Each structure stands twice: as structure tokens, then as C-alpha cells.
Amino acid sequence: MVNLSTIVESVSKTIIERHDDMSYILRKKYLNKIKPFIDKPIVKVITGMRRVGKSILLKMIQSELLTDVPSSNIIYINLESAQYLSVKNDFDLQQLIMKRSQQIEGKIYFFFDEIQLVTHWERVINALRVDYDCDIYLTGSNSKLLSGELATLLAGRYVSFEVLPFTFGEFVDLYQNLNLSIQELFQLYIKIGGMPPLHYFNGEEESSFKYLNDIYNTVVVKDVLEYNSIRDVDVFNRILLFCLDNIGQSFSANSLRKYFMSENRKVSVDTILNYLNFCQAAYLLKKVPRYDSVGKKLLTVEEKYYVTDHGFRQAVGFSNVASIERILENIVYIELLSRGFQVQVGRINNQEIDFIATRQGETEYYQVSYLLAGEDTRRREFGVYRLVKDNYPKYVLSMDTMNFSQEGIIHKYLPDFLLEENA
């Protein structure tokens, strides 16, 4: 098992101080991904859900990766700030940039936070790239940022990075001041999740849930309902709550339509699919495709959805502890994404592999279970791997501290697995 003292020993190297005296975790995995693109003629686009830490990451880039750049050559514009409320469109933004940059000599580093708040912002970014000796960084809270005119104007000239909530390893670093054991910290993580601003509440559950509920409502209202001009708010909320209640469960849009019919509500499959797509675009939900390992093809029915931060589920009234098996799946799924894997649900004949994770041409298989105490459970979790005919690594993750590894299949204590990249 991972030694807590080893984790705590490294905390001083990973925590830095903000001007408002709140400490935060240096998110090295994102900085390491961005670093190769510094000073390259490629626009860096940082996406992710609201309050997930995109703005802080922009500041980390400045303080950690641009140490030799004079502060006078850095232009940072947070378009959510009251200072820039008058910047509504591309003309306003261009005028602001000309004013801010006219006295700067040498290369300029532009940082635009929540750029989607400016109408036709893509034109400005493209013009900057053409007219200035510059390096450009953007953030946005909707995946549509990467579609439409941006894709046309900057085809092949931008790279995107999605920021996710804190992994359990980052969570341990941030909450080490609570002097809790790994097991206690994991129980807290199961409940409140990994949204970075929760550090303000020092693990206090009631305040954390109140804040999470406010973030959830902000994402839903601003990035989904308002952004997509949704009128039937009640139907939308019912669809989203259904997904949160059934994370990790296979269902189709048609089965959801039948569910509404049982409640005497007529909702079309197209409406359901559109609303689910809007939630994905706002980085609230993640859809995981199903892969037929025998036929080597993607299946388009009975997909699974997970929530980007499982704390939202508890905050809106569902119990994460009561649904522990599916919450553990959700945690592992987001962890695999944070490690740079592409993730699919596997199907072999009539059996399922929780996750098939691929990265740089390599594949890993994962089964997630709460406990393996019963022989039937162990037979189910390990047995499906006998149908897999390749030699890629195969894992079973659970909350058992006893090692149940067998026949080349590796069993790991789940919190240990989550802490591996921090060890």
C-alpha cells in the first residue's frame, strides 16, 4: 500500500501560494502537456467545466513556464471580470488589445480567460496570429469552442487540453492538513469529489455541498440552458437527474423516452439526445462508448454516462455511499482520462469489461468492484478476462486490502492505484 508519509513529504514541492493566501496544487501533468507547445505558432486552448481550475492553470503557465518572460510582455484578460464587461464583440476586443499592446516591445503573450463570452472572438485570435509576434492561450467552458469558425480559421494551428477536477492524488496533497488517514481521505473524496474551490471549506461537508450545488446550477443555467436556449427546463432537469441517478448504468435514449412515457410525459428521442449532448459540451457529463472486443467495432446502443465530478451527484440529493460501486467506477474513469487514456466500455459476448483504456498504442483493461469478499464476485470480476485473447495488462480494482491477484491478472487496492502517479 502507498505510504501516506511519502505523499505528504512531496506536498511542499507541489503546493504554491496564491495572492489571496489560498494554497493550491501545482498541476504538473497539465503543465507538462502544455510545455512542448510554448513559443510555438500554435494556439493553446484550455477547456473544461466552470470552476475546475482553468484560470489558475493560466497563471501557473505564466509563473512556471514563462519565468524568463517580462511581466510587461504578458497580457492577461479575464472576460468574466467586471473590468471587461464592456468587451462584447470582436471589435471591442481588438480595440482593447491595440491599447494594451502598443507600448510593448518584443514577443507578446496573450491570455484570454473564458473567451467564448466575446462574439466572433475567433476573428481576433486569427488576426493576432497573423499580425503579431505572439503566443496565444485561451480558456473556455464549452466544447463548442473548438467547432465552427475556430476550426475553420485555425485548422491545424491549435491544440486543446481539457482540465478535469482534482484526482484523488491531488486531493490528498491539498487536504493533508486535516491529518486524516488515506482511508478517511478517500471516504471524504467519495462524498465531496474534487472541485478545486472546495479547499476553502477544509473538508466541511455541509458547506462543500452548498457550494457544489451552486456550481452545478451555474453550469446548468449558463452553459447549458442559456447557451442552448432551452425552453423546457423541467424536461431537461429530469433528463439530467436521471443520468446522475444512473451513472455507470447502460441505457439508450429510447429507454429514457419510455421512462418519460411511464410518467405521462412525451419527449422525443432527438430531444433527449440533444440535451445529453449539451451536457457533454458543457463538460458536465461524459459519454463512454461501448466496444465489441470480439467484432472489433464500436457499438452505438446502450452507452454509459459518467459525471465529470461525482461530488455534484451528492450535492443534488443522491447518496454516493449508497451507490458506492458505481461511484468507484466514476472515479476510476475520470482518473484514467486524467492520465491521458482514451476509455471505452468493453463487451465480449454477453459479458462486460468496465473499461478498456488505450494510450500511445498500448491497452489496459480494468474491472472495478467495491469488495471481492465472495467467491461469486471474484469469479465474475476475474473470469471475464479469460475471454480476452491478448497479453495487455489486466486489472481488478477494489476496496479489499488483501491481494487477490491470480493467473496474471493484477488486483490492486483502489486508493493505492489512484495514488500511483503521486508516489
Side-chain angles (χ1 to χ4, degrees), residues 244-362:
L244 293 177
D245 189 26
N246 292 277
I247 59 167
Q249 303 252 34
S250 298
F251 66 86
S252 65
N254 192 52
S255 64
L256 194 48
R257 180 186 64 83
K258 292 178 180 177
Y259 164 77
F260 279 108
M261 287 179 62
S262 69
E263 295 191 337
N264 297 316
R265 299 292 298 269
K266 187 176 181 180
V267 184
S268 72
V269 168
D270 285 345
T271 296
I272 293 169
L273 289 174
N274 285 336
Y275 287 178
L276 291 174
N277 287 336
F278 295 156
C279 289
Q280 293 173 72
Y283 300 100
L284 183 58
L285 293 179
K286 299 287 187 184
K287 180 173 71 173
V288 190
R290 186 180 297 274
Y291 183 74
D292 185 339
S293 297
V294 176
K296 304 297 182 184
K297 61 182 179 180
L298 285 175
L299 305 175
T300 58
V301 295
E302 299 293 319
E303 292 160 323
K304 288 188 176 185
Y305 287 84
Y306 292 97
V307 60
T308 302
D309 187 87
H310 57 278
F312 288 132
R313 191 177 181 278
Q314 182 98 20
V316 299
F318 299 111
S319 171
N320 285 347
V321 174
S323 304
I324 185 64
E325 189 107 15
R326 290 185 285 123
I327 296 302
L328 294 181
E329 275 189 36
N330 204 117
I331 289 171
V332 170
Y333 172 68
I334 298 298
E335 175 71 28
L336 291 171
L337 290 184
S338 78
R339 295 184 185 186
F341 286 97
Q342 291 184 318
V343 185
Q344 299 168 339
V345 175
R347 190 184 76 173
I348 301 180
N349 299 331
N350 293 322
Q351 298 190 54
E352 185 173 281
I353 297 174
D354 288 331
F355 303 119
I356 302 175
T358 57
R359 180 178 63 183
Q360 298 176 353
E362 297 296 318

Side-chain angles (χ1 to χ4, degrees), residues 93-106:
L93 184 58
Q94 182 64 22
Q95 292 299 306
L96 174 64
I97 290 168
M98 290 175 64
K99 181 179 179 180
R100 292 278 300 271
S101 63
Q102 60 185 356
Q103 301 298 326
I104 298 177
E105 295 183 2

